[in-house]
Amino acid sequence: MSCFEEFKREGHCHDHGHGGGHDHDHDHSHDSEEVLKDSLFTKIDLDNVRCMNEKEKDSIKGVFKPWDERMDVTKYVDSDADEQLIIHIPFTGQVKLKSILIRGGPDGTAPRTMKVYSNRPGIDFDNVESEKPSQVFSLVQAPNNAQPIEYNTNVIKFRQVTHLTLFFADNFGEDTTRILYIGLKGDWIAVKQKTLSGVVYEATPNLKDHDVPANANAVSRFVG
């Protein structure tokens, strides 16, 4: 029995691809309307998204797609020198990140371990192993052509995110990692800016007005 089939039998994964890591049960959306409600797709500063160790320059930008294009296989990112990828994702405001959706490549090219860092844009291959992640996910190797799988975050650690970094440390056995789709869900808050004597200050929004309870059934392994 494959990992995905075992997860599905135990209730951790579902046909529409909403599932998660190995530690907890989880809540998930049952239709596209629910998925789109919290989508952060339009809040990503796509022009400034960058990827380290991508085989084709700027191919990472094609991985962030509208929900109705999530099954497209013509746009993807492949790793180059080895199986690792570091992806930097800036937002146009401040977000509270609730979950990350991943659709990996076929066979052993799908990513296996995802380390996530909040507001650390300086991470690269020289320091990523020494930096403590905000959260670590053990990803599922889904069957070919499966829907994206959703991994819930520890929301407390992702309440004021302006920059998200994803480090895909390994895959399921191939030299190259392929990612077909990355989706992000959460709440977005515009960050007001005002200039005083040539210095730009960012006003901190009142997150209590926008708060929702942290997901008690997060599907990943918490770190720290």
Side-chain angles (χ1 to χ4, degrees):
M1 181 181 295
S2 70
C3 172
F4 184 84
E5 289 170 338
E6 183 177 352
F7 267 60
K8 182 177 176 181
R9 178 175 60 80
E10 294 177 356
H12 291 274
C13 290
H14 297 262
D15 288 337
H16 50 64
H18 294 205
H22 301 99
D23 295 338
H24 305 275
D25 294 331
H26 63 284
D27 297 329
H28 58 274
S29 303
H30 288 273
D31 51 49
S32 295
E33 183 177 345
E34 282 297 308
V35 173
L36 292 172
K37 182 176 67 173
D38 293 332
S39 173
L40 295 172
F41 171 68
T42 61
K43 309 305 181 183
I44 297 171
D45 182 5
L46 194 58
D47 288 341
N48 290 305
V49 168
R50 57 193 176 95
C51 181
M52 297 178 177
N53 196 38
E54 61 180 349
K55 187 172 185 178
E56 182 179 343
K57 182 176 173 58
D58 289 335
S59 57
I60 185 59
K61 296 179 180 180
V63 170
F64 297 93
K65 310 168 186 177
W67 178 247
D68 59 2
E69 296 178 18
R70 66 195 180 279
M71 300 304 293
D72 172 39
V73 297
T74 64
K75 296 178 182 179
Y76 53 84
V77 63
D78 279 345
S79 62
D80 189 12
D82 56 26
E83 75 277 16
Q84 295 188 332
L85 289 166
I86 295 177
I87 302 171
H88 287 283
I89 309 165
F91 295 100
T92 59
Q94 184 170 276
V95 307
K96 179 166 66 176
L97 185 68
K98 297 177 179 177
S99 64
I100 303 171
L101 294 92
I102 301 291
R103 183 173 178 233
D107 305 321
T109 67
R112 181 174 184 174
T113 305
M114 178 175 66
K115 299 181 180 182
V116 185
Y117 306 79
S118 174
N119 298 328
R120 279 178 272 179
I123 285 180
D124 56 25
F125 285 112
D126 291 332
N127 60 21
V128 68
E129 297 290 359
S130 61
E131 291 282 339
K132 184 179 180 180
S134 304
Q135 192 167 352
V136 176
F137 297 83
S138 295
L139 306 182
V140 175
Q141 185 179 19
N144 293 349
N145 301 316
Q147 293 275 346
I149 296 176
E150 182 173 7
Y151 301 87
N152 295 330
T153 66
N154 180 354
V155 180
I156 293 175
K157 296 187 177 183
F158 297 94
R159 292 182 63 180
Q160 299 181 16
V161 183
T162 57
H163 187 107
L164 192 70
T165 302
L166 308 180
F167 173 40
F168 295 94
D170 53 15
N171 60 25
F172 286 91
E174 296 297 326
D175 295 332
T176 299
T177 294
R178 175 170 292 186
I179 301 174
L180 296 161
Y181 174 85
I182 297 176
L184 303 171
K185 291 173 60 178
D187 298 328
W188 178 85
I189 305 166
V191 178
K192 298 179 180 180
Q193 293 185 336
K194 52 187 177 182
T195 303
L196 181 62
S197 300
V199 179
V200 176
Y201 297 89
E202 290 189 349
T204 302
N206 184 358
L207 288 179
K208 293 174 72 174
D209 295 339
H210 304 268
D211 237 354
V212 296
N215 190 339
N217 298 315
V219 299
S220 62
R221 174 166 59 88
F222 297 158
V223 173

